[in-house]
Amino acid sequence: APSAISFNSTLSIDMTGSTGNGGRNWTTLEWYVNTPNSTNSLVNPLQTFMNSNMLSWFNCIPNTYSCNMIPAHFFTYPGYYVFTLKLGNFFNLYTFNTFVVQVSEQIAVPEVLILGRNYIYVYSNSSL
Protein backbone atom coordinates (compact mmCIF):
# COMPACT_ATOMS: atom_id res chain seq x y z
CA ALA A 1 0.00 0.00 0.00
CA PRO A 2 1.21 3.53 -0.58
CA SER A 3 2.29 5.58 2.43
CA ALA A 4 0.17 8.56 1.32
CA ILE A 5 -2.90 9.21 -0.80
CA SER A 6 -5.00 12.28 -1.55
CA PHE A 7 -8.32 12.55 0.25
CA ASN A 8 -11.16 11.20 -1.87
CA SER A 9 -8.69 8.80 -3.57
CA THR A 10 -8.91 5.03 -3.75
CA LEU A 11 -6.42 2.90 -1.82
CA SER A 12 -4.82 -0.14 -3.42
CA ILE A 13 -3.60 -2.94 -1.13
CA ASP A 14 -1.69 -5.89 -2.57
CA MET A 15 -1.29 -8.94 -0.33
CA THR A 16 -0.20 -11.41 -2.99
CA GLY A 17 3.30 -11.60 -1.49
CA SER A 18 2.00 -13.03 1.80
CA THR A 19 3.48 -16.43 2.64
CA GLY A 20 3.04 -19.14 5.23
CA ASN A 21 -0.27 -20.70 4.21
CA GLY A 22 1.28 -23.98 3.06
CA GLY A 23 -0.42 -23.73 -0.33
CA ARG A 24 -3.87 -23.69 1.27
CA ASN A 25 -6.39 -20.95 1.81
CA TRP A 26 -5.79 -18.73 4.81
CA THR A 27 -8.05 -19.78 7.68
CA THR A 28 -8.08 -16.28 9.17
CA LEU A 29 -8.00 -12.94 7.40
CA GLU A 30 -9.01 -10.03 9.63
CA TRP A 31 -8.49 -6.32 9.15
CA TYR A 32 -8.34 -3.77 11.95
CA VAL A 33 -8.47 -0.06 11.12
CA ASN A 34 -7.74 2.79 13.48
CA THR A 35 -7.11 6.47 13.13
CA PRO A 36 -5.93 8.71 15.95
CA ASN A 37 -7.64 11.80 14.55
CA SER A 38 -11.26 10.71 14.07
CA THR A 39 -14.09 8.80 15.62
CA ASN A 40 -15.12 5.17 15.21
CA SER A 41 -17.95 6.33 12.96
CA LEU A 42 -15.35 6.86 10.21
CA VAL A 43 -13.25 3.72 10.61
CA ASN A 44 -15.94 1.18 11.56
CA PRO A 45 -17.57 1.21 8.08
CA LEU A 46 -14.12 0.94 6.48
CA GLN A 47 -13.14 -1.99 8.70
CA THR A 48 -16.47 -3.71 8.05
CA PHE A 49 -16.03 -3.27 4.29
CA MET A 50 -12.49 -4.66 4.38
CA ASN A 51 -13.65 -7.73 6.31
CA SER A 52 -16.62 -8.37 4.03
CA ASN A 53 -16.65 -10.80 1.13
CA MET A 54 -16.82 -7.93 -1.34
CA LEU A 55 -13.05 -7.96 -1.96
CA SER A 56 -10.79 -10.72 -3.23
CA TRP A 57 -7.50 -10.19 -1.41
CA PHE A 58 -5.59 -13.02 -3.08
CA ASN A 59 -5.23 -14.34 -6.64
CA CYS A 60 -6.37 -11.06 -8.06
CA ILE A 61 -5.31 -8.74 -10.83
CA PRO A 62 -3.71 -5.67 -9.24
CA ASN A 63 -5.57 -2.36 -9.55
CA THR A 64 -8.94 -3.91 -10.41
CA TYR A 65 -11.77 -2.47 -8.35
CA SER A 66 -13.24 -5.72 -6.99
CA CYS A 67 -9.80 -7.05 -6.18
CA ASN A 68 -8.06 -4.74 -3.79
CA MET A 69 -9.26 -1.19 -4.23
CA ILE A 70 -10.75 0.55 -1.22
CA PRO A 71 -13.26 3.15 -2.51
CA ALA A 72 -12.47 6.84 -2.16
CA HIS A 73 -15.56 7.61 -0.06
CA PHE A 74 -13.84 5.98 2.94
CA PHE A 75 -11.07 8.62 2.79
CA THR A 76 -12.93 11.93 2.88
CA TYR A 77 -10.97 13.40 5.81
CA PRO A 78 -7.22 14.03 5.98
CA GLY A 79 -5.17 12.26 8.63
CA TYR A 80 -3.47 8.97 9.37
CA TYR A 81 -5.12 5.58 8.99
CA VAL A 82 -3.50 2.60 10.72
CA PHE A 83 -4.23 -0.76 9.06
CA THR A 84 -3.43 -4.06 10.77
CA LEU A 85 -3.88 -7.39 9.01
CA LYS A 86 -4.11 -10.68 10.89
CA LEU A 87 -3.48 -13.81 8.82
CA GLY A 88 -3.83 -17.36 10.14
CA ASN A 89 -2.91 -20.66 8.53
CA PHE A 90 -4.23 -24.22 8.88
CA PHE A 91 -1.87 -24.84 11.84
CA ASN A 92 -3.68 -22.05 13.71
CA LEU A 93 -0.52 -19.95 13.57
CA TYR A 94 -1.02 -16.22 13.11
CA THR A 95 0.96 -13.24 11.90
CA PHE A 96 0.19 -9.54 11.97
CA ASN A 97 1.32 -6.71 9.73
CA THR A 98 0.62 -3.04 10.36
CA PHE A 99 1.06 -0.13 7.98
CA VAL A 100 0.10 3.53 8.08
CA VAL A 101 -1.41 5.53 5.24
CA GLN A 102 -1.55 9.30 5.37
CA VAL A 103 -4.59 10.82 3.70
CA SER A 104 -3.47 14.24 2.50
CA GLU A 105 -5.41 17.38 1.63
CA GLN A 106 -3.19 17.80 -1.42
CA ILE A 107 -4.97 17.14 -4.68
CA ALA A 108 -2.48 14.82 -6.36
CA VAL A 109 -0.18 12.71 -4.20
CA PRO A 110 2.01 10.57 -6.50
CA GLU A 111 2.17 6.85 -5.81
CA VAL A 112 5.23 4.65 -6.27
CA LEU A 113 4.89 0.87 -6.16
CA ILE A 114 7.87 -1.44 -5.86
CA LEU A 115 6.76 -5.03 -6.10
CA GLY A 116 8.45 -7.73 -4.09
CA ARG A 117 9.30 -8.43 -0.51
CA ASN A 118 11.31 -6.16 1.71
CA TYR A 119 13.49 -9.13 2.73
CA ILE A 120 14.71 -12.46 1.37
CA TYR A 121 16.37 -15.50 2.87
CA VAL A 122 19.84 -16.28 1.52
CA TYR A 123 21.58 -19.47 2.54
CA SER A 124 25.29 -20.24 2.33
CA ASN A 125 24.72 -22.72 -0.51
CA SER A 126 22.65 -20.21 -2.52
CA SER A 127 24.04 -18.18 -5.36
CA LEU A 128 23.21 -14.50 -5.65
Side-chain angles (χ1 to χ4, degrees):
S3 60
I5 61 172
S6 300
F7 74 99
N8 287 320
S9 294
T10 59
L11 174 64
S12 176
I13 300 174
D14 186 359
M15 300 173 14
T16 56
S18 301
T19 62
N21 59 345
R24 302 180 188 187
N25 290 334
W26 293 101
T27 57
T28 302
L29 188 150
E30 296 175 8
W31 285 100
Y32 304 94
V33 182
N34 194 356
T35 183
N37 58 319
S38 69
T39 64
N40 287 341
S41 63
L42 288 178
V43 295
N44 284 347
L46 173 57
Q47 182 173 301
T48 299
F49 175 77
M50 293 180 73
N51 285 309
S52 71
N53 291 326
M54 297 180 70
L55 297 170
S56 174
W57 293 107
F58 296 98
N59 302 320
C60 57
I61 301 168
N63 296 321
T64 58
Y65 180 78
S66 65
C67 176
N68 57 3
M69 299 294 281
I70 310 301
H73 70 268
F74 287 113
F75 305 109
T76 54
Y77 297 97
Y80 291 91
Y81 290 74
V82 181
F83 296 87
T84 300
L85 173 63
K86 176 183 178 182
L87 287 177
N89 64 16
F90 62 97
F91 288 121
N92 290 324
L93 299 174
Y94 302 93
T95 188
F96 294 84
N97 190 10
T98 298
F99 61 94
V100 178
V101 175
Q102 179 185 10
V103 177
S104 172
E105 292 184 69
Q106 295 179 3
I107 299 301
V109 175
E111 179 180 339
V112 175
L113 297 175
I114 300 173
L115 299 178
R117 297 184 189 175
N118 56 359
Y119 66 91
I120 60 169
Y121 294 105
V122 178
Y123 300 99
S124 59
N125 62 347
S126 301
S127 61
L128 295 178

